[in-house]
Amino acid sequence: KRHQGETKDERKTMRYLTVIVMVTIRVCASLVELGRIRPLSRGFPRLASRLPGRLWSTASESPSSPPIESVAIVGGGLAGLSTAYSLLNRTHQKIPKITILDIKDPGCGGASAVAGGLLHPFSPRGKLVYLGKEGLDASNALIKAALRHEPNCILRESIYRIANNDKTATQLRETSMLHPEYSSWLDATEIQERCGTPSEGGLVLSNGCRVVHVPTYLVGLWKACQELSGGTATWVDSRNDWKERLSGFDAVVLSAGAGLFQNNNVVMEDIPAMLVRGQSIEMVLNDDTNSPPYPNEAVLCGKYMTPTPNGVLIGATHEYKPKVMNATQVYNDLRQRSEFLPVWESGYEVDKITSGVRVQSQRGKLGRLPMIGKLTTDVHENAWLFTGLSSRGLIHHGVLGKVLSDALLTHDESVISQDYPELLWWKKEKANEN
């Protein structure tokens, strides 16, 4: 159609450009089909949404590899359930059949089930952690899915990060200025009124920073997985012969955390990580106290105090030695390191000690990063690793579950190496050791 003011040469030029663009689109679409180039959706999401599906899809399968129709996920904690949900949450793809192998029911075992539940994107010094914002958004998307099935999995919609010295106060004030979307500075009087805790001031973290009751959340997330799968996703007791069961699956995700390193389950000696035990104290009001004499809020300052459905959780120890601390040692250690918290003198008594062992990776320039990627092991020829979430399981499990599921479905670890090369640090460490 002619437009007023256009010259003949301009119309001719536009026709040539249109032909060139259409040919380019079709060639690129063909190259994506052949697995020769990567899709556009990560770098240009708005442009990608306007182009043919095969050109922008993030998980188109390479024709040289068979489609992934069944996936076994060893471990149903934060890493395993996040990966399961991401594999199932595929609008334009045939979803694989998911089987989770775990020795406990959802929300009942492993380090994930005894996590403190503090979801926020900051390091102890108030700096944004690696993938902090992306992680917060991804984790809250999973929480939204879980809330449909377990509406009580959120205990508080804010967290208080307090300062007990001038240096920390200066760091946290800077955080409030750099990241006002998540943090607001409160002076010592305001912290005392809101938390009952003496301090040099502190932050209230909100806008997606929240307190999660992790066991209930995991139950809700598993129900969301079952719903997405149309009832085909299954949870299998893995106490007996779990390795032998894996041969019938197209792919395997090893996400059992410390369970991968214990009892000779999988040969993991050359993985650059260590096991750390964390024990926490669950406290409840004694019979003579009807209600807590201070606001029962989540307080973070080195150690943490966080509400539970029935009381308060104080955590956690960091035990690197094989010998496990006994209950008295746990109590003394945590009280000494959090004496300023009002819970110790406010009508609470110890109900029980919870314990979990987590995989902690080596510290690098970006902190302690998890380990995800393709794993060479005799357990399965198409095995993928997702472990080392450590104390940042809540902030990282959502975003990394999506990254891993994209790589798995495309048979392409470059999905990780091109967009998140830092996450393959552990492979470089293995290569250096060898």
Side-chain angles (χ1 to χ4, degrees), residues 324-355:
V324 181
M325 294 172 65
N326 62 39
T328 300
Q329 292 171 324
V330 172
Y331 180 90
N332 291 337
D333 179 78
L334 292 179
R335 178 155 189 171
Q336 178 183 359
R337 296 174 185 272
S338 61
E339 189 70 43
F340 56 90
L341 294 175
V343 66
W344 301 110
E345 305 292 345
S346 59
Y348 278 94
E349 61 186 13
V350 176
D351 179 43
K352 62 181 178 180
I353 304 293
T354 63
S355 178

Side-chain angles (χ1 to χ4, degrees), residues 83-103:
T83 304
Y85 187 89
S86 295
L87 288 169
L88 293 166
N89 191 27
R90 304 279 162 170
T91 306
H92 303 295
Q93 289 179 263
K94 180 181 178 181
I95 60 174
K97 185 180 186 301
I98 301 297
T99 300
I100 293 183
L101 292 88
D102 202 301
I103 61 174

Side-chain angles (χ1 to χ4, degrees), residues 214-229:
V214 180
T216 306
Y217 163 59
L218 292 174
V219 172
L221 190 55
W222 169 238
K223 291 179 179 178
C225 289
Q226 289 180 300
E227 182 181 56
L228 279 176
S229 74

Side-chain angles (χ1 to χ4, degrees), residues 72-75 99-103 236-249 252-256 259-268 375 377-380 383:
I73 299 177
V74 182
T99 300
I100 293 183
L101 292 88
D102 202 301
I103 61 174
V236 177
D237 188 325
S238 65
R239 274 174 285 199
N240 298 315
D241 302 326
W242 66 271
K243 293 182 185 179
E244 287 72 15
R245 300 182 187 184
L246 301 181
S247 60
F249 294 90
V252 170
V253 178
L254 300 173
S255 60
L260 297 175
F261 295 78
Q262 296 172 319
N263 304 319
N264 296 317
N265 275 336
V266 180
V267 178
M268 305 283 281
L375 180 67
T377 173
D378 59 3
V379 170
H380 195 278

Side-chain angles (χ1 to χ4, degrees), residues 155-214:
L155 300 176
R156 296 290 186 275
E157 291 289 356
S158 60
I159 300 168
Y160 292 89
R161 171 67 175 97
I162 67 172
N164 55 11
N165 56 59
D166 291 338
K167 180 179 179 180
T168 304
T170 299
Q171 292 172 339
L172 297 183
R173 282 195 186 94
E174 182 179 356
T175 301
S176 69
M177 292 184 288
L178 293 175
H179 305 289
E181 68 274 29
Y182 301 123
S183 60
S184 300
W185 174 258
L186 304 176
D187 62 29
T189 300
E190 292 173 301
I191 291 291
Q192 182 74 42
E193 291 174 351
R194 296 195 188 193
C195 305
T197 305
S199 69
E200 299 298 325
L203 300 174
V204 56
L205 306 178
S206 56
N207 193 26
C209 304
R210 54 214 319 201
V211 183
V212 183
H213 188 245
V214 180

Side-chain angles (χ1 to χ4, degrees), residues 26-39:
R26 294 193 178 192
V27 170
C28 289
S30 297
L31 290 173
V32 169
E33 290 276 3
L34 294 171
R36 300 291 181 81
I37 64 172
R38 297 289 308 285

Side-chain angles (χ1 to χ4, degrees), residues 374-417:
K374 194 77 177 289
L375 180 67
T376 301
T377 173
D378 59 3
V379 170
H380 195 278
E381 63 180 1
N382 188 20
W384 297 76
L385 180 67
F386 185 4
T387 192
L389 285 171
S390 192
S391 61
R392 292 178 180 164
L394 270 179
I395 194 66
H396 280 151
H397 78 293
V399 63
L400 298 187
K402 177 64 167 60
V403 172
L404 182 62
S405 65
D406 284 348
L408 186 154
L409 289 178
T410 57
H411 302 268
D412 187 4
E413 193 178 49
S414 70
V415 169
I416 303 172
S417 62

Side-chain angles (χ1 to χ4, degrees), residues 253-322:
V253 178
L254 300 173
S255 60
L260 297 175
F261 295 78
Q262 296 172 319
N263 304 319
N264 296 317
N265 275 336
V266 180
V267 178
M268 305 283 281
E269 289 89 348
D270 57 346
I271 299 297
M274 63 188 306
L275 300 183
V276 180
R277 181 179 297 276
Q279 298 191 72
S280 302
I281 300 174
E282 285 195 19
M283 306 183 78
V284 295
L285 289 170
N286 60 38
D287 295 336
D288 299 325
T289 308
N290 295 322
S291 60
Y294 66 91
N296 190 7
E297 299 291 345
V299 177
L300 177 61
C301 182
K303 301 303 178 183
Y304 59 80
M305 174 182 74
T306 183
T308 68
N310 301 312
V312 175
L313 181 71
I314 307 294
T317 64
H318 288 77
E319 302 172 41
Y320 299 92
K321 298 179 180 180

